DNA sequence: GCAAGGTC
């Protein structure tokens, strides 16, 4: 009997392709099966999954939220079903005729579970085929070859640990989410969610907000003087700060008592010189940073202005294009077979990195830095050595790519060395100190400019030397509340707390935005978020506590070790949830009311000037936002809002009308609208300024074009016969509009100039018709494809789609998913369907 | 339609 082909299953297409290349000596060819790549060479086939291709859920009879009491979900069965039909079908087809199967999913717990899911799909169609498992932590020739020479077995206990997590997350998450949503009567798109990871993350944000609110600022004073060394006519000055030793004998700069501060201030004002009491010099070694894992990468990208979500999406594109390694990793230690010299060598041929690469290669010894996390999942994020040419990347992609390259450079660069100089001067029993620092050896800072390496100057002085004292000033200050978490700080804290994973932490933050729990950046919790956290603290403490995860982790460890079973762990967890529900059911109504009140508070802008009710942000039937009275239909008072963006109610209010200011969130086009009533009044007070004849109805009806200000705050050039004629041309939101003496011959309209406050140069907008035409041409010309407006389509994918003749969203929507999948590498029909839905 | 975890 002849054996069928060997089937290799990986976690993702990219890994399948690279492993096929390595094992085949680059002779593997790719073919498409159900829109999925299958790599083929000799008697072997290799297919990449897309992470989990099956998911857990309750049976369909539990689908209706209203029909099923949330508490019933605790006892409900949990089923597995395919979520990526095309991949599952392809896998089954291949498995049916396979002679052996090798599971080569990622080397971590979730990878073991994904491997077991693949194993079960294989077993469904082929009872006898031998299945083994290979493990490697980076896809290099050496590791992969070695792993395939020494195959192992699947670790079913480890996979069961992952399954226990799936079940517990589903049951707790779904039961509590439904309970909160039902009790507040929030069904449909605006349901109220909680979960093991989003819960504690939200509590972190809410707790910080509570600290900020409870903060009681304290007054203190700080004193500074200028000290000048005046030797041989060369005056060198520096600022020194007053300090004293507090009761514990520790050095303090803040003076907590105004009288003491004033006394010291007067003393310093009365003197003209101070004597140097001590000079301390020391050198400090500043070691280069460790290689990037996901969290540290997000943090660094954050410091150059990229949100966590955006940084990961760009990294994903760079990875798919082959320029950087896999961006989701916990590892901060390079694998043994990364040869830094070889990788540096790849940058010698590139104009932009040549100089730095060469100087690094001149080092006699190259020993990369190591971080604290050494894991088996993937190598730290580093450039692959395949370089993009300038036109391959957008500006943002280049920024992020350069960051990854330079981080790699830094990890193989030399230490930096600083010299710290501390000078203490004394006068009349008062002490002043200054700390200078100088970069003696720039080391890694030369190749990694993202850290602050600025120096502060303090001249060489000697003990006993007299310095001129001048410019003494006393600064009154106040202690500040703790700062809100920024996105990267939040992700770092989640990592420390052990919640979420490298691949999900940034998504969790996005989810909190989507659910209406946080707004703005740095994120600020809404009233709803507080109510959800409070309700959870009162009745389901575990769901907002990091302990739920640490408990789960130790349970999973026990399962993996064979010391506990999946059933033991899930049953115990369900019993705890059952107890939680006893408390919840009793307080159902009260809880629902609190959630509803908070939801309303989140929408409230202020008090209605006509009836004293609440003014709230509403959405019209056409989908646009406006402000209306909560007492509608008894009160019909409304205020318009700008048509672009989603309104955010800001914290500050208008002094005249006591209405909260509004910000319109629209990505890069975000702007502050301000007080909606002020905007409306400004428009009412401003007369339309006629500048010419309406090109559409001028001849027939004597329509005229005028510069108008709308109550929504927008400005435009529009026909005076509106609404009978709706001809209009856009005008910028900001700046003063000046009508110049010049006029456009073609359209017989005056040219406009926009002027700004401050130093900003005026903008010669010109004829409004010409200007609008140029704008439209620009929109349709370069970057005319709007494919990238769909979430999930990056620059690279858009490029690939265009190569396949799919130029824009319209074509994408009109095409058959399977056709696109067949034409475009790495794109499945399911993905296309998702894009098509996203485009609607 | 719920979670969290993969991946796109």
């Amino acid at each position: 009997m002849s054996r069928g082909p060997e089937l290799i299953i990986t976690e993702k297409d990219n890994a399948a392709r690279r492993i096929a290349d390595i094992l085949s000596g680059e002779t593997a060819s790719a073919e498409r099966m159900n829109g999925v790549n299958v790599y083929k060479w000799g008697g072997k086939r290799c297919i990449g999954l897309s992470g989990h291709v099956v998911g857990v859920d309750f049976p369909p009879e539990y689908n209706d939220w209203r029909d099923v009491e949330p508490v019933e979900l605790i006892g409900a069965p949990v089923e597995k079903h395919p979520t990526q039909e095309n991949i599952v079908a392809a896998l089954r087809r291949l498995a049916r005729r396979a002679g052996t199967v090798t599971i080569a999913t990622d080397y971590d717990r979730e990878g073991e579970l994904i491997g077991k899911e693949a194993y079960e799909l294989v077993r469904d169609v082929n009872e006898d085929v031998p299945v083994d498992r290979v493990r490697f932590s980076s896809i290099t020739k050496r590791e992969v070859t070695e792993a395939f020479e020494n195959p192992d077995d699947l670790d079913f206990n480890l996979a069961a640990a992952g399954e226990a997590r799936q079940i517990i997350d589903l049951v707790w998450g779904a039961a509590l989410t439904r309970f909160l949503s039902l009790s507040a009567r929030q069904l449909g798109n605006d349901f109220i969610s909680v979960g093991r990871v989003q819960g504690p993350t939200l509590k972190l944000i809410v707790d910080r907000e509570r600290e900020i609110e409870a903060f009681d600022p304290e007054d203190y004073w700080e004193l500074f003087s200028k000290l000048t060394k005046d030797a041989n006519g060369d005056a060198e000055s520096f600022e020194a700060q007053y300090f004293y030793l507090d009761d514990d004998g520790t050095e303090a700069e803040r003076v907590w008592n105004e009288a003491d501060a004033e006394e010291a201030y007067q003393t310093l004002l009365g003197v003209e010189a101070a004597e140097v009491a001590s000079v301390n010099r020391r050198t400090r070694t500043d070691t280069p940073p460790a290689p990037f894992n996901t969290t540290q990468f997000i943090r660094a990208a954050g410091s150059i202005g990229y949100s966590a979500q955006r940084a990961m999406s760009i990294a994903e594109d760079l990875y798919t294009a082959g320029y950087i390694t896999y961006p989701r990793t916990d590892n901060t230690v390079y694998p043994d077979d990364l040869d830094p010299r070889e990788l540096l060598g790849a940058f010698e041929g590139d104009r932009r990195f040549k100089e730095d690469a060469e100087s690094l290669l001149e080092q006699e010894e190259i020993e990369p830095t190591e971080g604290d996390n050494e894991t088996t999942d993937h190598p730290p994020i580093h450039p692959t050595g395949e370089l993009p040419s300038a036109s391959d990347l957008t500006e943002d992609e280049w920024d992020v790519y350069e960051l990854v390259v330079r981080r790699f450079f830094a990890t193989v660069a030399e230490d930096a060395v600083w010299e710290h100089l501390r000078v203490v001067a004394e006068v009349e029993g008062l002490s002043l100190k200054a700390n200078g620092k100088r970069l003696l050896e720039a080391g890694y800072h030369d190749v990694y400019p993202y850290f602050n390496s600025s120096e502060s100057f303090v001249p060489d002085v000697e003990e006993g030397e007299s310095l001129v004292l001048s410019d003494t000033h006393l600064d009154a200050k106040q202690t500040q509340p703790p700062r809100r978490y920024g996105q990267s700080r939040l992700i770092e804290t989640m990592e420390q707390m052990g919640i979420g994973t490298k691949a999900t932490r940034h998504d969790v933050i996005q989810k909190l935005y989507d659910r209406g729990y946080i707004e703005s950046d740095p994120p600020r919790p809404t009233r709803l978020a507080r109510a959800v956290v409070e309700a959870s603290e009162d009745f389901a403490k575990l769901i907002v506590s990091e302990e739920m995860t640490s408990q789960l982790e130790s349970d999973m460890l026990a399962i993996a070790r064979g010391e506990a079973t999946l059933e033991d762990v899930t049953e115990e967890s369900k019993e705890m949830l059952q107890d939680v529900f006893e408390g919840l059911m009793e307080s159902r109504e009260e809880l629902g009311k609190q959630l509803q009140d908070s939801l309303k508070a989140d929408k409230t802008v202020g008090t209605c000037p006509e009836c004293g009710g609440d003014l709230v942000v509403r959405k019209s039937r056409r989908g646009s936002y406006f402000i209306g009275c909560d007492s509608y239909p008894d009160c019909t008072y409304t205020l318009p809002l700008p048509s672009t963006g989603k309104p955010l109610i800001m914290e500050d209010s208008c002094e005249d009308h006591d209405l909260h200011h509004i910000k319109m969130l629209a990505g890069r086009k975000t702007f502050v609208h301000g007080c909606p009533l002020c905007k409306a009044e400004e428009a009412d007070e401003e007369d339309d300024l006629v500048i010419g004849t309406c090109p559409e109805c001028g001849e027939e009806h004597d329509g005229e074009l005028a510069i108008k200000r709308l109550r929504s705050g927008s400005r435009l050039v529009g026909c005076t016969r509106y609404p009978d004629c709706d001809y209009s041309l856009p005008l910028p939101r900001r700046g003063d509009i000046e009508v110049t003496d010049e006029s456009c011959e073609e359209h017989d309209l005056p040219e406009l100039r926009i002027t700004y406050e401050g130093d900003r140069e005026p903008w010669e907008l010109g004829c409004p018709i010409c200007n609008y035409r140029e704008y439209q041409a620009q929109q349709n010309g370069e970057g005319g494809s709007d494919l990238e407006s769909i979430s999930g389509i990056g620059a690279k994918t858009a490029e690939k789609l265009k190569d396949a003749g799919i130029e824009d969203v319209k074509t994408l929507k009109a095409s058959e998913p399977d056709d696109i999948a067949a034409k475009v590498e790495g794109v499945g029909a399911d993905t296309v369907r998702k894009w098509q839905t996203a485009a609607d």
Side-chain angles (χ1 to χ4, degrees), chain A residues 277-503:
Chain A
S278 70
V279 178
N280 279 300
R281 248 188 204 97
R282 65 187 176 90
T283 53
R284 187 177 66 85
T285 312
D286 167 12
T287 54
F292 268 152
N293 62 7
T294 301
T295 305
Q296 291 310 311
F297 161 71
I298 288 175
R299 175 185 174 165
S303 75
I304 55 169
Y306 293 91
S307 73
Q309 195 71 219
R310 178 92 184 109
M312 284 310 287
S313 143
I314 293 174
E316 179 74 42
D317 285 343
L318 293 172
Y319 156 71
T320 319
Y323 303 131
I324 67 170
T325 57
Y326 193 62
R328 296 187 267 272
T329 175
D330 284 324
N331 203 350
T332 52
V333 180
Y334 291 131
D336 286 341
D337 47 11
L338 183 127
D339 179 351
R341 282 191 191 274
E342 196 186 316
L343 187 48
L344 281 170
F347 294 94
E348 277 187 302
D350 188 278
R351 188 174 47 78
R352 302 153 297 187
F353 296 119
K354 185 177 168 48
E355 214 176 294
D356 288 334
E358 280 173 353
S359 81
L360 290 168
L361 279 165
E362 278 167 19
Q363 300 173 98
E364 263 177 35
E365 240 183 84
I366 297 186
E367 187 61 41
T369 55
E370 295 187 353
D372 295 335
N373 275 2
E374 188 168 8
T375 59
T376 56
D377 57 352
H378 295 91
I381 308 169
H382 64 79
T384 55
E386 185 181 325
L387 272 72
S389 60
S391 59
D392 288 337
L393 302 184
T394 64
E395 214 173 292
D396 287 358
E397 286 170 335
W398 174 259
D399 266 3
V400 173
Y401 177 67
E402 185 176 5
L403 173 69
V404 173
V405 172
R406 294 198 170 281
R407 181 62 160 227
F408 162 67
F409 283 0
T411 60
V412 296
E414 284 171 344
D415 292 346
V417 180
W418 293 86
E419 182 189 60
H420 289 250
L421 173 62
R422 174 185 155 95
V423 172
V424 174
E426 285 179 354
V427 59
E428 304 268 339
L430 301 181
S431 303
L432 294 158
K433 65 169 175 183
N435 291 304
K437 60 176 192 173
R438 215 149 50 95
L439 196 51
L440 295 182
E441 306 271 351
Y444 75 90
H445 291 291
D446 274 341
V447 296
Y448 192 75
Y450 308 96
F451 287 162
N452 184 1
S453 59
S454 58
E455 306 186 329
S456 56
F457 173 76
V458 170
D460 277 325
V461 292
E462 279 169 29
E463 248 174 63
E465 193 174 338
S466 175
L467 300 171
V468 176
L469 189 152
S470 63
D471 300 77
T472 296
H473 56 101
L474 177 64
D475 296 355
K477 299 186 175 176
Q478 276 196 325
T479 52
Q480 296 296 309
R483 288 232 290 270
R484 289 191 177 118
Y485 287 102
Q487 295 192 17
S488 33
R489 190 78 189 84
L490 207 47
I491 288 173
E492 280 186 293
T493 311
M494 290 170 74
E495 188 183 37
Q496 283 160 16
M497 288 169 40
I499 55 173
T501 71
K502 63 214 173 189

Side-chain angles (χ1 to χ4, degrees), chain A residues 507-726:
Chain A
D507 288 334
V508 171
I509 294 173
Q510 187 55 47
K511 183 174 274 180
L512 298 181
Y513 278 109
D514 296 343
R515 295 279 192 270
Y517 289 153
I518 55 177
E519 292 173 328
S520 208
D521 187 18
R524 168 192 113 194
T526 59
R527 308 294 314 186
L528 174 65
R530 290 158 180 255
V532 168
V533 169
E534 276 164 29
S536 306
E537 284 169 338
D538 288 346
F539 301 103
K541 231 181 177 132
L542 210 52
I543 206 70
V544 285
S545 150
E546 63 199 275
E547 258 110 80
M548 178 148 180
T549 296
S550 51
Q551 182 58 52
L552 185 59
E553 285 290 344
S554 65
D555 287 342
M556 282 195 286
L557 192 62
I559 298 175
R561 284 182 176 154
E563 293 160 5
T565 66
L566 180 147
E567 287 73 25
D568 296 339
V569 168
T570 51
E571 280 313 309
E572 194 189 352
S573 178
K574 286 178 179 181
E575 278 168 30
M576 289 171 68
L577 184 57
Q578 194 76 46
D579 288 344
V580 164
F581 262 85
E582 289 196 6
L584 278 173
M585 310 265 246
E586 273 176 35
S587 309
R588 197 170 205 157
E589 294 210 354
E590 182 194 339
L591 216 148
K593 174 139 194 336
Q594 270 171 25
L595 292 171
Q596 282 176 327
D597 288 349
S598 318
L599 277 162
K600 193 176 156 211
D602 282 332
K603 291 190 299 184
T604 304
V605 181
T607 307
C608 175
E610 263 177 25
C611 75
D614 286 327
L615 283 186
V616 294
V617 171
R618 292 181 176 282
K619 210 171 177 176
S620 76
R621 251 179 248 117
R622 283 171 306 158
S624 55
Y625 294 96
F626 69 99
I627 291 170
C629 183
D630 193 43
S631 316
Y632 180 85
D634 294 334
C635 173
T636 56
Y637 186 82
T638 62
L639 287 170
L641 285 171
S643 51
T644 36
K646 187 173 183 282
L648 165 73
I649 301 170
M650 297 171 70
E651 282 164 291
D652 53 332
S653 301
C654 168
E655 285 182 17
D656 293 336
H657 305 111
D658 201 25
L659 297 183
H660 283 281
H661 285 172
I662 306 280
K663 193 188 223 175
M664 299 304 292
L665 302 176
R668 282 182 193 174
K669 289 182 178 166
T670 294
F671 61 94
V672 174
H673 175 59
C675 166
L677 186 45
C678 285
K679 292 288 160 188
E681 285 178 355
E682 279 166 28
D684 293 342
E685 283 158 19
E686 196 171 296
D687 291 328
D688 294 354
L689 178 63
V690 174
I691 55 167
T693 313
C694 174
E696 215 136 87
C697 68
E699 286 191 12
E700 221 181 319
H701 303 285
D702 296 331
E704 288 178 314
L705 281 192
I707 297 176
K708 301 179 176 196
R709 181 186 287 273
L710 308 186
R711 300 190 91 227
S712 66
S714 336
R715 296 184 298 189
L716 49 79
V717 170
C719 184
T720 47
R721 289 182 55 253
Y722 182 86
D724 292 328
C725 170
D726 62 1

Side-chain angles (χ1 to χ4, degrees), chain A residues 49-55 81-85 87-88 91 117 121:
Chain A
L49 309 175
S50 182
H52 291 287
V53 294
V54 296
H81 60 94
T83 50
Q84 306 260 36
E85 304 273 7
I87 300 178
V88 170
L91 178 60
E117 288 160 0
L121 292 167

Side-chain angles (χ1 to χ4, degrees), chain A residues 732 734-736 738 753-765:
Chain A
R734 292 185 192 291
D736 287 330
E738 238 177 67
R753 177 185 299 132
I754 316 295
T755 59
Y756 302 94
E757 276 178 38
D759 295 338
R760 191 166 155 193
E761 288 286 303
W763 171 25
E764 302 294 342
L765 185 142

Side-chain angles (χ1 to χ4, degrees), chain A residues 791-808:
Chain A
S791 106
I793 302 188
K796 293 289 134 200
T797 315
E799 200 62 36
K800 280 200 248 168
L801 286 168
K802 274 185 242 173
D803 288 345
I806 297 129
E807 296 276 350
D808 46 35

